[in-house]
Amino acid sequence: MNTKWNALVLGAAMVGQFGAAAWAGNAAQEVRVEAPYVRAVPPGTPNTGGFMVLKNSGSSAHAVVSGRSSASQHVELHTHRMEGGMMKMRPIEKIEIPAGGETVLKPGDLHVMFINLVSELKEGQEVGFTLVFEDGSETMVMAPVKKVMEGMKMGEGMGHGKKMH
């Protein structure tokens, strides 16, 4: 009888464990992308930035660890850092999104960098790209291409020692 009881308890524990894993969402299910856009750039400009708000409805923190797009040869995650008295753009390994919180990607701060564009991006077009999260899940994003200054507040990425790209 004791062996049967142990098997029953073990079986219930396994069902509970697997049920909880199936119930928990992955990053792509829990992180919502809001207000995405890609900056229009002058003809011949090889790179541009993508901006958005990442909202995490889950109870665990998540992170974007990479991206890809048919609009450019490479997609990198970037930020701006103060170095030697100048604000410089640098690649980073991940963009973290806190549990139940949000992370804003904006000019002069965190952003997705599209490197070596395969064609000119004009205002009114849409750019598709994929964000890859730490757990391997992915989210496809369609973002409108907007004018350089659109979506920026005064002082963001302008003057104040910050470099725009």
Side-chain angles (χ1 to χ4, degrees):
M1 185 103 142
N2 201 6
T3 305
K4 288 180 182 178
W5 179 251
N6 288 342
L8 181 62
V9 170
L10 179 62
M14 289 177 68
V15 168
Q17 188 175 25
F18 290 123
W23 183 257
N26 63 28
Q29 292 169 327
E30 295 180 345
V31 176
R32 190 172 66 246
V33 177
E34 294 186 354
Y37 72 96
V38 173
R39 182 181 286 171
V41 292
T45 304
N47 309 321
T48 193
F51 311 97
M52 67 207 78
V53 178
L54 301 171
K55 291 194 174 188
N56 183 354
S57 63
S59 59
S60 298
H62 292 293
V64 176
V65 296
S66 66
R68 63 181 179 276
S69 176
S70 61
S72 64
Q73 292 179 7
H74 304 286
V75 174
E76 294 181 355
L77 308 175
H78 279 212
T79 192
H80 284 81
R81 292 193 178 125
M82 187 63 75
E83 292 181 14
M86 289 185 61
M87 191 62 80
K88 295 185 179 184
M89 182 177 49
R90 293 288 180 241
I92 55 177
E93 290 184 20
K94 61 185 174 181
I95 296 175
E96 296 182 8
I97 310 113
E102 68 180 35
T103 299
V104 178
L105 282 64
K106 61 185 179 179
D109 201 351
L110 295 170
H111 59 282
V112 175
M113 192 74 191
F114 298 87
I115 299 173
N116 294 325
L117 296 170
V118 296
S119 64
E120 183 179 341
L121 297 181
K122 297 179 183 178
E123 183 181 9
Q125 292 178 318
E126 279 196 324
V127 172
F129 59 96
T130 300
L131 298 177
V132 181
F133 296 95
E134 82 287 347
D135 63 3
S137 64
E138 301 180 349
T139 295
M140 176 65 182
V141 179
M142 290 303 292
V145 177
K146 295 187 176 185
K147 287 183 183 178
V148 172
M149 299 310 288
E150 201 166 329
M152 293 177 64
K153 295 178 185 171
M154 289 303 291
E156 281 184 0
M158 303 172 56
H160 306 287
K162 291 185 179 179
K163 230 174 134 176
M164 288 181 23
H165 54 70

